[in-house]
Amino acid sequence: MADAHRREWAFVLAATLRVTRDIDLAEECVQDAYARALATWSTGGIPSRPGAWLTTVARRRAIDVARRGMTHERALPLLVEPVTVVGPGDLDEPDIVDDRLRLIFTCCHPAIALDAQVALTLRLVCGLTTAEVGRAFLVSESTMAARITRAKKKIAIARIPYRVPSVDELPARIDAVLTVVHLLYSTGHTAPVGTDLSRRDLVERSLDLARLLRKLLPDDADVAGLLALILLTDARRETRLGADDQLVLLAEQDRSRWDHIAIGEGIQLVREALRRRPPGRFALMAAIAAVHDEAPSWDTTDWVEIVGLYDLLVELWPSPVVALNRAVALGLAIGPDAGLVALDALATEPLLATYSYLASARADFLRRLGRTDEARAAYEEALLLCENAVERAFLVDRLSKVDS
């Protein structure tokens, strides 16, 4: 059931919205379908097409509600086609994909504030909990819940249609959509909480969406850059954990086991994305990933080039997390003293106050400088902030070796 929730949520919700005209009601119907599945599948077994089963149940529930007139006062003008009863045979992949794109572009309408666009899409399309979305934005669950609620109300007030926009409307919508897919990948690449380092379902969904957007906009440099970034980063997935399920840093990974087919595809896309002047943020991030992937070893990594790319990225996209990554790269290019100075300059940044990577990066540079007491305190701070079990185990191990 947990696997069906992770993999099928977006498809089922998007298809149900075509019937309900109401986001909240669609969520209720989908949750009801999952509740019925829990009772039915435990005795009858999981159907061969769980997504189709769930969608049929959720949409029939929505149609029943509509027929009883329960949506009269709360309906949202999202419907783009008549309400019809559908069966499993009507739920082939192309239609489901279209529904998912409709939902993404509905959430990412320019009438909604950009951060709310992204948050709503992560919640509705990607099936993340409100708490998980909050962690992706480095804000509290209550703050994120209010943001998502406001975005839903805006869809109702602005009468935003449930459809993929026309070609001339795409430029105003695509940046938010790409931001959503990027955050989805980041959340899956390293899960904010839980016992697993990553969430493969979110990674696969983000890659699938990036490829869909590539088909929709084959000449868009930002789309090419995002797909390249995901391919080049995900190419290392099989080497991120050791045989004992311990975290393996990039410096220690077996590069012969990286997915070199994905790397080749990603590098071609990077070259395409960098032809645009000036290059976009996803092209620059992908270029950084390409420098790592093309280096034969950790010691031969061109950190000077990486710092230069981060300089461009910080100017284009002044994100605190980007500034943090640049500080780490600077420390590896010039030395831990320089990296520590750059990290300490970020200490008062509110969005990084609960970000464990700032503390862990400081701890690493302090350890290299022989400042063991300060390193120990920084590792302990990182442990307090970290909620991923694999990363916590890594930090505990580092803390135990800080004097060595």
Side-chain angles (χ1 to χ4, degrees):
M1 176 58 67
D3 183 68
H5 184 275
R6 288 192 300 267
R7 293 184 180 277
E8 308 294 348
W9 171 268
F11 299 111
V12 180
L13 179 64
T16 305
L17 255 173
R18 292 169 63 187
V19 174
T20 65
R21 311 183 183 189
D22 184 325
I23 290 175
D24 290 327
L25 180 57
E27 286 191 276
E28 291 175 14
C29 291
V30 173
Q31 289 166 358
D32 182 67
Y34 275 99
R36 294 189 187 186
L38 188 63
T40 304
W41 296 358
S42 60
T43 56
I46 299 174
S48 59
R49 299 176 64 203
W53 191 99
L54 289 162
T55 303
T56 300
V57 172
R59 293 183 68 161
R60 284 176 176 166
R61 166 66 175 161
I63 291 167
D64 288 342
V65 172
R67 284 173 174 166
R68 291 199 304 269
M70 293 176 64
T71 60
H72 176 71
E73 295 181 355
R74 61 188 298 186
L76 298 181
L78 298 178
L79 196 65
V80 294
E81 57 190 86
V83 176
T84 55
V85 178
V86 294
D90 299 311
L91 299 174
D92 293 331
E93 179 69 12
D95 291 335
I96 294 174
V97 169
D98 287 345
D99 279 333
R100 188 169 52 173
L101 282 175
R102 288 188 188 104
L103 181 53
I104 291 174
F105 280 105
T106 299
C107 294
C108 295
H109 192 279
I112 305 171
L114 181 58
D115 58 353
Q117 292 177 31
V118 178
L120 185 62
T121 310
L122 289 173
R123 174 71 189 95
L124 296 181
V125 180
C126 305
L128 300 188
T129 66
T130 303
E132 288 173 328
V133 179
R135 291 188 188 96
F137 278 85
L138 307 180
V139 300
S140 68
E141 181 176 358
S142 59
T143 298
M144 184 50 62
R147 190 176 297 176
I148 290 172
T149 298
R150 286 195 299 270
K152 288 180 179 179
K153 289 181 179 178
K154 184 66 176 180
I155 290 176
I157 294 170
R159 302 177 66 84
I160 293 171
Y162 179 47
R163 61 178 176 82
V164 176
S166 60
V167 174
D168 60 327
E169 294 176 300
L170 283 174
R173 310 275 279 277
I174 195 61
D175 185 67
V177 173
L178 294 176
T179 300
V180 165
V181 178
H182 177 237
L183 269 175
L184 177 62
Y185 176 73
S186 298
T187 303
H189 178 69
T190 302
V193 297
T195 58
D196 298 324
L197 177 62
S198 62
R199 284 187 56 178
R200 288 302 313 156
D201 60 307
L202 298 185
V203 171
E204 291 167 3
R205 194 174 299 168
S206 64
L207 181 57
D208 179 36
L209 289 171
R211 290 197 182 280
L212 284 174
L213 290 168
R214 173 72 172 169
K215 291 180 180 178
L216 185 65
L217 296 166
D219 299 320
D220 190 291
D222 289 327
V223 172
L226 177 61
L227 179 55
L229 174 62
I230 295 175
L231 286 168
L232 291 166
T233 309
D234 194 47
R236 314 172 201 142
R237 76 171 93 160
E238 298 300 332
T239 61
R240 296 182 68 212
L241 289 175
D244 52 0
D245 287 335
Q246 292 291 308
L247 179 66
V248 179
L249 295 180
L250 188 61
E252 301 160 356
Q253 290 176 12
D254 180 357
R255 297 179 180 225
S256 68
R257 294 178 55 214
W258 288 356
D259 185 343
H260 293 281
I261 294 176
I263 290 172
E265 181 183 358
I267 289 172
Q268 286 297 115
L269 287 165
V270 169
R271 291 170 181 162
E272 177 183 331
L274 289 175
R275 292 193 191 108
R276 193 184 81 178
R277 291 292 182 268
R281 56 185 170 125
F282 296 113
L284 291 172
M285 285 189 283
I288 292 168
V291 174
H292 284 298
D293 286 5
E294 290 185 304
S297 66
W298 174 261
D299 293 335
T300 60
T301 303
D302 191 343
W303 288 106
V304 174
E305 181 180 359
I306 289 176
V307 171
L309 289 167
Y310 271 122
D311 286 340
L312 295 173
L313 185 57
V314 167
E315 183 177 350
L316 178 66
W317 187 33
S319 157
V321 175
V322 172
L324 170 60
N325 289 335
R326 180 195 174 277
V328 172
L330 188 67
L332 294 168
I334 300 176
D337 279 309
L340 191 59
V341 169
L343 287 172
D344 287 343
L346 301 172
T348 58
E349 172 56 58
L351 287 176
L352 296 179
T354 59
Y355 200 53
S356 65
Y357 296 124
L358 175 58
S360 61
R362 289 189 71 256
D364 184 63
F365 284 144
L366 288 165
R367 179 182 59 83
R368 295 181 188 213
L369 291 168
R371 295 160 60 175
T372 55
D373 290 341
E374 294 171 272
R376 188 180 300 107
Y379 277 126
E380 290 172 349
E381 179 185 355
L383 268 169
L384 288 174
L385 298 172
C386 181
E387 297 184 69
N388 181 284
V390 176
E391 291 185 312
R392 285 184 60 82
F394 173 81
L395 291 170
V396 167
D397 181 67
R398 279 297 173 97
L399 181 58
S400 69
K401 299 175 180 177
V402 74
D403 294 312
S404 59

